[in-house]
């Protein structure tokens, strides 16, 4: 063979080998698989094998019987096939066979089974041998940003969520070399409890718990060095039974990567119950961070103003930031209006030191793309691009019809699209938008124009699955219902069913920031939002009971178009109006957001801080299918202004604190102003659910049209401390009109009861005698009695004291003697004495105090005109103590006074108040039972002819009366000085 022939043969063989290799690689690429989205059942994928996860966990749906919550975590065939994707993005076909090659379509996947992968055109197939091993389901590790600019300063944020719930869990986070981690430069937020330094985790508050809770701390953290010279953060003894979004949010501050390239993170976790398992630390439990030489963290700063104001520059100005530090010169902001095809220099203000830029004068209603251009320095080149839409983006441009058909999917796609752009406003133009569950996302605002109506359909999202069952207690706590205490650690049984399921809502958001639903349109539950405690007995497509459900969110606004004036009420027109210049009445409510048929809650906000609710008209178009209006559980920094509720079944404004997050959280700083409404319960209810403290609540300008419970109620039932409550202090702004209260069963109900619905609580059943009456009921044994302290109420006129709400239908039914009525009430709580309990009281509360006194209460400048009509014999009435399941004014039956009745109170002042009745009432005007230190001054009252005493007392100490008078039998008759009390 000649030299030339040899060369030709060699070349031919090279090309042939390359062709064969390429063909083989093509075949392999067509059949190679990897982890798909949420691949929680896959532990490992090799060239020819597939390792799957098996184990068990506790998992209850609302339909699961109480003894059937232990479930297998093995993947079904359908589960597995949904978790696989091709490496190259091509379409593949999957077949599961047994070890003999017989296809399987049902049943379990077992060790020895096989996965056969066929390429898109059936050109090739590949077989993977399956093994099933005991492990915990894979969790999810993600980075807030997957790219970072080298040599600049950043906070690096990671999120980890375990694949299954567990008590006493251990989580390990593997941080690559080059990222310094210390106990003080790194914070963690465990299941939404709040950020703390790693050094402070062991001392972070676990919330208010009873002695039967098995945890004494949120968890422990430690840092060690990994084999790759990186760091391992180990979190131990975590209670991950609650599911509140990301289980761990980890922030590493001051990160400055000196080297470009890829940084690999990994996580794994271990469970303790129902079996000990460890997750594989592969696939979704890994995340990569890329550090670049050029600026790759350029981002737009969203509008985070707490109150939406539409100004000429709102949508024509944009602000940006990037990592501080680095080496850049000749920096220019570039803009494009054709999605990056062409670029031009933007007229921008740039601050290199702060690493910020702003641009104004943008053309309206255009999609802009921006990027930085750096001419010189180590960061020379272009930054990553960001987007901004200079206007409200029409929701109908996303295929949303607004024609009365189901628009849910396209609305959710539009919200997701705008969220990926960095946020913006979606405009709902006139039309009828039918939805099941809308998934809210951070920085996305929904703006409803007038005549835009969003209506609920059946078939919204199902209630979430949980570690615990809530069947022991879903509603209605009776004096003998032990359900909430059966399992002390089951946080699902510590509040009504509506409070601890969140996803079954018309609008849902969890762990979001900067969300707004605003405008002057209408949102209507359409009869498809349930308002009863039996919601979980309904068919699965009829279990949504909330209009807005917001869990552990920040910076939320819901309301109409901002109006600067105060809202008030016209009795003749039965309509609200804005108080204009010189007191002019502006009845135009077109700026208000209308909420109709809102189910159990118009808003259930839980663990959410920074809320602005304003200018809403409740039940303008329909007065049925509405229960609670605005419920704030564990929320802080809340502002509620200009609310008109034509009628509701339950409270209109309610700050509270329950256990629905799996832990308690105090609530504080409420500014509540101009609240007008009619309710089957209370206009304002502070507390009721009081697993933790409620403090600093300022309410100005209320107008109670009707309340079948109390006009203004303050209650602690579960051990919480309710403190610093002010009515008409002027803290929220000027007092424009005197507050008024009509048709309330009782004007004020300030109370302590002993429900003790907190994690770790224990109750026992006792037989005892109280005031000659035998009781057989629960007493909470290990939770301190709650406290109510520093209550200041003033500047209010009270009329028509009876349960006269129009919720029953007629607006309003006049008093005919059949409706319930009660005196203004201040009722502390006292456990029965040891001698009165059969067998004795065999426990002491942790603080040793068995009487809960209400402390430091001030009534100032309040006028009471009650119905009256009670006989002298009612002066002997002794209302029962408010025990478990007895937390309403109606449980106190008749009070011995027609005016103020107080029991278990320390330090009360009644100043400049009047007490009058429409019909002779022979009870005392005021009655103090176990009241210590009372000061009554400048009051006026009426004393019936057949009762010689104005102020009655029982076991009271230091009751002082000054500058006070009473009228004989009828207001305006001859008056006399109140110079003594009945002891």
């Amino acid at each position: 063979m000649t030299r030339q022939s040899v060369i030709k043969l060699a070349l031919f063989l090279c090309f042939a080998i390359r062709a064969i290799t390429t063909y083989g690689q093509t075949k392999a690429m067509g059949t190679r698989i990897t982890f798909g989205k949420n691949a929680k059942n896959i532990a490992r994928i090799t060239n020819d094998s597939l390792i799957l996860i098996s184990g068990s966990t506790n998992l209850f749906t609302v339909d699961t019987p109480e003894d059937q919550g232990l479930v297998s975590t093995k993947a079904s065939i359908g589960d597995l096939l949904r978790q696989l994707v091709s490496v190259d993005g091509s379409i593949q076909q999957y077949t599961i066979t047994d070890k003999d090659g017989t296809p399987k379509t049902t049943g379990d996947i077992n060790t020895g089974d096989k996965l056969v992968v066929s390429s898109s055109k059936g050109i090739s197939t590949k077989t993977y041998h399956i093994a099933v091993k005991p492990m915990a389901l894979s969790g999810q590790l993600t980075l807030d940003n997957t790219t970072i600019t080298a040599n600049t300063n950043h906070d690096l944020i990671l999120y980890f969520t375990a694949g299954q719930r567990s008590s006493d869990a251990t989580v390990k986070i593997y941080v690559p070399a080059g990222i310094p981690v210390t106990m003080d430069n790194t914070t963690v937020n465990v299941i939404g409890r709040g950020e703390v330094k790693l050094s402070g985790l062991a001392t972070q508050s676990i919330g208010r718990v009873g002695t039967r809770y098995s945890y004494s701390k949120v968890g422990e953290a430690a840092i060690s060095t990994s084999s790759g010279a990186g760091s391992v953060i180990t979190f131990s003894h975590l209670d991950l039974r609650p599911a509140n979004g990301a289980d761990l949010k980890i922030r590493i501050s001051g990160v400055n990567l000196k080297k470009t390239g890829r940084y690999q993170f990994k996580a794994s976790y271990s469970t303790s119950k129902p079996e000990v398992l460890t997750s594989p630390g592969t696939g979704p439990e890994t995340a990569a961070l890329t550090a670049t030489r050029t600026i790759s963290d350029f981002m737009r700063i969203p509008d985070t103003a707490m109150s939406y104001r539409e100004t000429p520059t709102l949508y024509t100005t944009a602000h940006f930031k990037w990592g501080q530090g680095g080496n850049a010169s000749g920096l220019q902001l570039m803009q494009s209006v054709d999605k990056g095809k062409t670029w031009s220099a933007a007229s921008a203000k740039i601050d290199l030191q702060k690493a910020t830029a702003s641009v104004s004068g943008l053309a309206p209603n255009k999609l802009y793309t921006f990027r930085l251009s750096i001419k010189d320095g180590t960061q020379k080149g272009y930054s990553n691009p960001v987007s901004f839409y200079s206007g409200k983006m029409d929701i109908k441009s996303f295929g949303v019809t607004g024609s009365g058909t189901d628009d849910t999917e396209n609305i959710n796609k539009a919200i997701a699209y705008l969220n990926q752009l960095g946020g913006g406003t979606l405009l709902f133009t006139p039309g009828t938008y039918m939805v099941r569950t809308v998934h809210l996302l951070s920085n996305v605002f929904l703006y409803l124009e007038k005549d835009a109506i969003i209506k609920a359909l059946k078939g919204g999202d199902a209630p979430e699955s949980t570690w615990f069952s809530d069947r022991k207690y879903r509603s209605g706590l009776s004096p003998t219902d032990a359900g909430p205490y059966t399992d002390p650690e089951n946080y699902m049984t510590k509040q009504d069913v509506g409070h601890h399921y969140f996803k079954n809502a018309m609008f849902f958001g969890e762990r979001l920031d900067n969300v707004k639903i605003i405008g002057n349109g209408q949102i209507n539950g359409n009869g498809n939002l349930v308002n009863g405690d039996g919601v979980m007995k309904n068919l699965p497509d009829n279990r949504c009971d909330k209009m807005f459900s917001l869990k552990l969110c920040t910076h939320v606004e819901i309301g109409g178009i901002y109006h600067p004036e105060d809202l008030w009420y016209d009795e003749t027109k039965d309509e609200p109006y804005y108080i204009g210049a010189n007191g002019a009445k502006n009845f135009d409510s077109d700026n208000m957001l209308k909420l109709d048929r809102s189910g159990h809650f118009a808003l259930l906000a839980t663990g959410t801080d920074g809320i602005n609710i304003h200018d809403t008209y409740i039940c303008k178009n329909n007065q049925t299918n509405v229960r609670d209006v605005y419920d704030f559980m564990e929320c802080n920094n809340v502002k509620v202004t200009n609310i008109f509720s034509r009628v509701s079944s339950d409270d209109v404004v309610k700050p509270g604190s329950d256990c629905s997050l799996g832990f308690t959280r105090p609530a504080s700083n409420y500014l509540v102003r101009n609240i007008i409404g009619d309710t089957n319960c209370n206009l304002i209810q502070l507390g009721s659910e009081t697993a933790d403290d409620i403090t600093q609540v300022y309410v100005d300008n209320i107008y109670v049209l009707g309340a079948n419970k109390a006009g203004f109620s303050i209650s602690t039932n579960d051990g919480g401390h309710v403190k610093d409550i002010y009515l008409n202090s002027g803290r929220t702004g000027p007092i424009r009109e005197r507050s008024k209260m009509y048709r309330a069963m009782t004007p004020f109900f300030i109370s302590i009861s002993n429900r003790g619905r907190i994690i770790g609580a224990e109750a026992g059943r006792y037989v005892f005698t109280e005031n000659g009456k035998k009781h057989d009921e629960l007493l909470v044994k290990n939770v301190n009695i709650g406290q109510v302290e520093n209550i200041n109420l003033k500047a209010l006129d009270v009329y028509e004291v009876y349960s006269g709400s129009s919720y029953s239908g007629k607006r309003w039914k006049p008093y005919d003697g059949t409706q319930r009525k009660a005196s203004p009430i201040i009722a502390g709580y006292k456990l029965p004495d040891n001698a009165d309990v059969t067998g004795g009281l065999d426990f002491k509360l942790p603080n040793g105090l068995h009487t809960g006194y209400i402390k430091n209460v001030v009534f100032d400048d309040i006028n009471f005109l009650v119905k009256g009509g009670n006989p002298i014999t009612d002066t002997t009435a002794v209302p029962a103590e408010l025990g478990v399941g007895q937390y309403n004014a109606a449980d106190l039956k008749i009070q011995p006074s027609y005016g103020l009745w107080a029991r278990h109170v320390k330090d009360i002042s009644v100043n400049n108040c009047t007490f009058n009745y429409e019909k002779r009432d022979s009870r005392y005007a005021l009655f103090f039972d176990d009241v210590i230190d009372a000061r009554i001054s400048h009051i006026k009252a009426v004393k019936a002819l057949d009762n010689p005493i104005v102020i009655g007392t029982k076991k009271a100490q230091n009751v002082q009366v000054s500058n006070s008078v009473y009228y004989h039998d009828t207001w305006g008759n001859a008056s006399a000085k109140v110079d003594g009390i009945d002891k």
Side-chain angles (χ1 to χ4, degrees):
M1 183 178 292
T2 65
R3 178 181 173 84
Q4 189 175 9
S5 298
V6 172
I7 292 173
K8 286 182 178 180
L9 179 60
L11 290 172
F12 171 77
L13 290 173
C14 286
F15 282 120
I17 292 169
R18 181 177 295 178
I20 293 169
T21 302
T22 302
Y23 177 68
Q25 289 175 343
T26 302
K27 288 184 67 177
M29 286 296 289
T31 57
R32 288 174 59 194
I33 56 174
T34 188
F35 298 88
K37 187 177 181 181
N38 300 322
K40 61 183 181 180
N41 294 98
I42 303 173
R44 188 163 63 253
I45 301 172
T46 69
N47 186 51
D48 60 358
S49 66
L50 182 62
I51 311 301
L52 301 184
I53 293 168
S54 72
S56 62
T57 189
N58 288 341
L59 192 69
F60 288 87
T61 71
V62 296
D63 298 313
T64 304
E66 289 178 53
D67 60 348
Q68 296 180 27
L70 181 64
V71 299
S72 170
T73 59
K74 288 181 70 174
S76 68
I77 292 174
D79 290 335
L80 173 60
L81 300 186
R82 283 189 291 270
Q83 294 175 30
L84 293 169
V85 295
S86 63
V87 169
D88 60 358
S90 64
I91 298 174
Q92 296 174 331
Q93 293 181 338
Y94 307 121
T95 303
I96 303 292
T97 73
D98 63 16
K99 62 181 180 179
D100 298 321
T102 303
K104 298 175 66 172
T105 57
T106 60
D108 289 338
I109 303 173
N110 301 309
T111 296
D113 289 346
K114 301 173 184 178
L115 169 70
V116 180
V117 181
S118 301
S119 62
S120 58
K121 295 183 180 180
I123 296 173
S124 59
T125 61
K126 183 174 178 59
T127 299
Y128 292 83
H129 299 274
I130 296 175
V132 181
K133 297 184 177 181
M135 283 182 274
L137 292 174
S138 286
Q140 187 82 36
L141 179 67
T142 60
L143 290 162
D144 195 41
N145 291 303
T146 56
T147 57
I148 192 171
T149 310
N151 296 300
T152 58
N153 299 321
H154 297 271
D155 282 359
L156 188 63
I157 300 175
L158 300 92
Y159 299 92
F160 178 74
T161 304
Q164 61 192 70
R165 303 292 86 208
S166 177
S167 60
D168 198 16
T170 299
V171 178
K172 293 188 175 183
I173 307 293
Y174 298 83
V175 181
I179 299 177
V181 178
T182 72
M183 297 294 286
D184 289 316
N185 82 335
T186 302
T187 65
V188 63
N189 183 340
V190 180
I191 64 170
R193 290 177 177 270
E195 286 193 29
V196 293
K197 291 180 179 180
L198 298 187
S199 59
L201 178 61
T203 56
Q204 183 180 16
S205 171
I206 60 172
R208 178 170 279 113
V209 297
T211 56
R212 292 192 63 195
Y213 183 52
S214 59
Y215 292 80
S216 60
K217 58 183 70 175
V218 173
E220 296 177 349
I223 300 173
S224 59
T225 302
S226 70
S227 58
S231 303
V232 181
I233 310 174
T234 301
F235 299 96
S236 54
H237 304 301
L238 303 179
D239 185 359
L240 299 187
R241 291 173 293 185
N244 298 324
D247 290 328
L248 302 181
K249 177 183 177 182
I250 301 165
R251 182 190 301 272
I252 307 172
S253 299
V255 174
N256 190 315
L257 298 177
K258 301 303 180 183
K259 295 182 180 181
T260 61
R262 185 180 175 89
Y263 293 77
Q264 191 73 24
F265 294 80
K266 187 182 82 167
S268 68
Y269 72 101
S270 298
T271 66
S272 61
K273 293 181 180 180
E275 55 183 321
V276 177
L277 299 167
T278 299
S279 67
T282 58
E285 291 189 315
T286 63
L289 174 69
T290 301
T292 63
R293 176 187 57 79
T294 57
I295 295 175
S296 56
D297 54 9
F298 181 56
M299 65 175 293
R300 179 165 59 85
I301 303 171
D303 175 21
T304 57
M306 280 303 300
S307 185
Y308 181 89
R309 301 281 197 279
E310 194 157 323
T311 64
T313 61
L314 178 62
Y315 292 109
T316 58
T317 301
H319 304 279
F320 309 91
K321 67 178 181 178
W322 58 96
Q324 290 181 279
N327 182 2
S329 63
L331 189 146
Q332 173 69 56
L333 180 68
M334 308 296 292
Q335 67 183 41
S336 172
V337 292
D338 55 10
K339 298 183 179 180
K341 294 178 182 178
T342 61
W343 295 89
S344 62
S347 178
K349 295 180 179 180
I350 297 174
D351 188 325
L352 283 175
Q353 186 175 1
K354 295 181 179 179
T356 61
S358 63
V359 60
S360 58
L362 300 175
N365 301 313
K366 286 187 178 294
L367 180 60
Y368 281 85
T369 306
F370 295 94
R371 70 183 183 188
L372 296 174
S373 173
I374 301 94
K375 292 183 179 179
D376 296 299
T378 57
Q379 295 177 331
K380 180 180 178 180
Y382 295 108
S383 75
N384 59 294
V386 298
S387 300
F388 174 63
Y389 187 77
S390 57
K392 305 185 191 80
M393 193 172 286
D394 193 337
I395 192 75
K396 291 176 182 174
S397 65
F398 293 89
V400 175
T401 67
S403 63
T405 58
D406 187 351
D407 282 320
T408 308
E409 184 176 355
N410 285 333
I411 289 175
N412 284 331
K413 286 180 179 178
I415 291 172
Y417 172 78
L418 208 55
N419 170 260
Q420 290 174 355
L421 289 186
T425 303
L426 285 171
L427 175 64
F428 288 76
T429 56
T432 300
Y433 304 85
M434 308 298 293
V435 301
R436 286 170 282 112
T437 296
V438 174
H439 298 148
L440 302 171
L441 292 174
S442 295
N443 300 315
V444 178
F445 307 163
L446 309 185
Y447 188 104
L448 281 69
E449 284 188 338
K450 185 181 178 183
D451 299 324
I453 305 173
I454 303 178
K455 287 188 174 183
L457 289 168
K458 283 188 178 181
D461 289 357
E464 49 267 55
S465 299
T466 56
W467 171 275
F468 289 108
S469 169
D470 72 333
R471 284 176 172 264
K472 284 291 185 182
Y473 173 54
R474 282 185 169 170
S475 67
L477 185 62
S478 77
T480 57
D481 181 6
Y485 317 100
T486 302
D487 182 348
E489 299 201 1
N490 184 353
Y491 61 89
M492 300 286 290
T493 60
K494 308 301 187 260
Q495 56 279 313
D496 292 350
V497 66
H499 285 269
H500 51 249
Y501 293 111
F502 302 93
K503 294 184 178 181
N504 53 325
M506 188 176 176
F507 296 83
F508 171 70
E510 180 178 70
R511 303 289 280 272
L512 305 180
D513 179 66
N514 196 28
V515 173
K516 298 182 187 294
I517 299 116
I518 46 179
N520 57 347
Q522 179 192 154
I523 301 176
N524 194 317
N526 201 32
N528 292 320
L529 298 179
V530 185
N531 67 345
D533 289 329
V535 55
M536 298 312 167
K537 297 177 182 178
N538 293 349
L539 293 174
D541 70 345
N542 192 30
R543 288 173 175 167
C544 283
D545 64 354
K546 291 166 271 284
M547 181 170 279
F548 305 112
S549 175
L550 296 166
K551 182 182 183 185
L552 287 166
C553 297
T554 49
H555 302 110
V556 173
E557 181 179 7
I558 298 174
I561 299 170
Y562 170 75
H563 197 292
E565 301 293 352
D566 289 324
L567 192 72
W568 207 233
Y569 174 75
D570 185 278
E571 298 177 12
T572 304
K573 292 188 176 184
D574 188 17
E575 288 290 345
Y577 65 86
Y578 287 99
I579 304 173
N582 301 317
K585 297 181 179 181
N586 177 9
F587 287 95
D588 185 358
S589 60
D590 275 355
N591 70 297
M592 301 182 83
L593 181 67
K594 288 80 178 177
L595 305 180
D596 290 289
R597 309 192 78 183
S598 51
H600 192 158
F601 306 94
L603 168 67
L604 176 63
T606 305
T608 293
D609 295 342
I611 305 175
N612 182 17
I613 310 294
H614 62 92
D615 298 288
T616 54
Y617 196 131
I618 314 299
C619 292
K620 180 177 178 63
N621 303 291
N622 192 296
Q623 284 78 60
T624 63
N625 195 221
V626 56
R627 190 165 162 181
D628 294 62
V629 180
Y630 294 125
D631 266 37
F632 307 97
M633 294 289 130
E634 300 93 49
C635 298
N636 294 279
N637 305 323
V638 176
K639 185 177 181 181
V640 187
T641 310
N642 288 351
I643 308 300
F644 181 75
S645 178
R646 180 161 291 278
V647 72
S648 69
S649 173
D650 217 315
D651 310 320
V652 177
V653 175
K654 179 180 178 178
S657 186
D658 61 21
C659 297
S660 60
L661 295 171
F663 57 88
T664 69
R665 192 173 187 263
S668 68
N669 193 21
Y670 285 73
L671 302 177
V672 181
R673 180 178 179 85
N674 307 333
I675 311 299
I676 306 158
D678 178 295
T679 169
N680 192 42
C681 285
N682 315 281
L683 183 81
I684 307 290
Q685 170 69 70
L686 306 178
S688 187
E689 290 88 1
T690 42
D692 215 319
D693 299 342
I694 304 170
T695 60
Q696 295 179 339
V697 180
Y698 303 91
V699 181
D700 291 332
N701 305 341
I702 64 171
Y703 203 124
V704 181
L705 305 178
N708 283 346
K709 287 187 179 178
F712 196 97
S713 178
I714 303 170
S715 298
T716 183
N717 303 319
D718 308 297
H721 192 171
V722 181
K723 179 181 177 182
D724 299 334
I725 313 299
Y726 294 84
L727 175 62
N728 294 327
S729 67
R731 176 69 179 268
T732 70
I735 304 298
R736 299 288 298 273
E737 300 280 348
R738 278 187 71 84
S739 289
K740 295 183 182 297
M741 189 180 294
Y742 289 86
R743 296 172 287 268
M745 188 193 84
T746 175
F748 295 101
F749 180 55
I750 306 171
S751 68
I752 299 174
S753 80
N754 193 31
R755 297 173 84 177
R757 297 168 302 169
I758 66 170
I759 301 168
E762 180 182 12
R765 194 161 176 176
Y766 294 85
V767 175
F768 59 91
T769 302
E770 181 187 312
N771 295 315
K773 183 179 178 180
K774 186 176 181 180
H775 292 252
D776 179 3
E777 60 193 55
L778 296 172
L779 297 177
V780 176
K781 302 168 66 172
N782 66 338
V783 177
N784 290 331
I785 298 169
Q787 302 175 63
V788 177
E789 185 175 8
N790 298 348
I791 311 299
N792 193 302
L793 311 171
K794 64 186 294 187
L796 178 77
D797 297 328
V798 178
Y799 309 90
E800 300 284 329
V801 180
Y802 72 99
S803 55
S805 166
S806 62
Y807 181 75
S808 58
K810 185 175 180 180
R811 196 168 178 90
W812 286 270
K813 181 182 177 181
Y815 180 69
D816 61 12
T818 64
Q819 297 99 323
R820 292 182 303 177
K821 58 187 177 72
S823 307
I825 292 168
I826 313 174
Y829 173 75
K830 179 181 178 297
L831 281 171
D833 293 329
N834 184 70
D836 295 328
V837 179
T838 301
L841 202 61
D842 59 354
F843 66 88
K844 284 188 176 182
L845 297 183
N847 64 5
L849 301 177
H850 282 204
T851 300
Y853 284 93
I854 295 173
K855 300 176 182 178
N856 191 18
V857 181
V858 176
F859 285 82
D860 185 18
D861 186 20
I862 301 178
N863 301 312
F864 296 94
L865 177 60
V866 305
K867 284 297 175 183
N870 289 59
I872 187 70
T873 52
D874 284 345
T875 58
T876 62
V878 182
E881 298 285 349
L882 291 168
V884 169
Q886 302 157 343
Y887 47 90
N888 294 314
D891 293 315
L892 293 170
K893 309 300 182 184
I894 297 172
Q895 294 76 53
S897 53
Y898 70 82
L900 183 63
W901 177 75
R903 181 174 64 192
H904 308 317
V905 179
K906 289 183 178 180
D907 195 4
I908 178 173
S909 296
V910 183
N911 310 310
N912 301 304
C913 295
T914 65
F915 301 90
N916 190 11
Y917 49 65
E918 297 178 32
K919 183 179 179 181
R920 176 188 291 164
D921 195 305
S922 298
R923 294 176 295 173
Y924 306 107
L926 293 84
F927 191 85
F928 294 153
D929 181 353
D930 187 22
V931 172
I932 302 170
D933 296 329
R935 294 167 300 283
I936 298 97
S937 66
H938 296 90
I939 73 162
K940 295 180 181 179
V942 179
K943 180 179 71 65
L945 287 178
D946 54 348
N947 186 345
I949 304 299
V950 178
I951 302 172
T953 64
K954 177 182 178 183
K955 300 179 182 177
Q957 303 176 41
N958 193 27
V959 178
Q960 302 175 16
V961 182
S962 64
N963 301 309
S964 299
V965 299
Y966 67 87
Y967 296 103
H968 292 276
D969 204 44
T970 303
W971 189 271
N973 280 352
S975 63
K977 181 180 178 182
V978 179
D979 55 4
I981 59 172
D982 175 27
K983 298 183 180 180

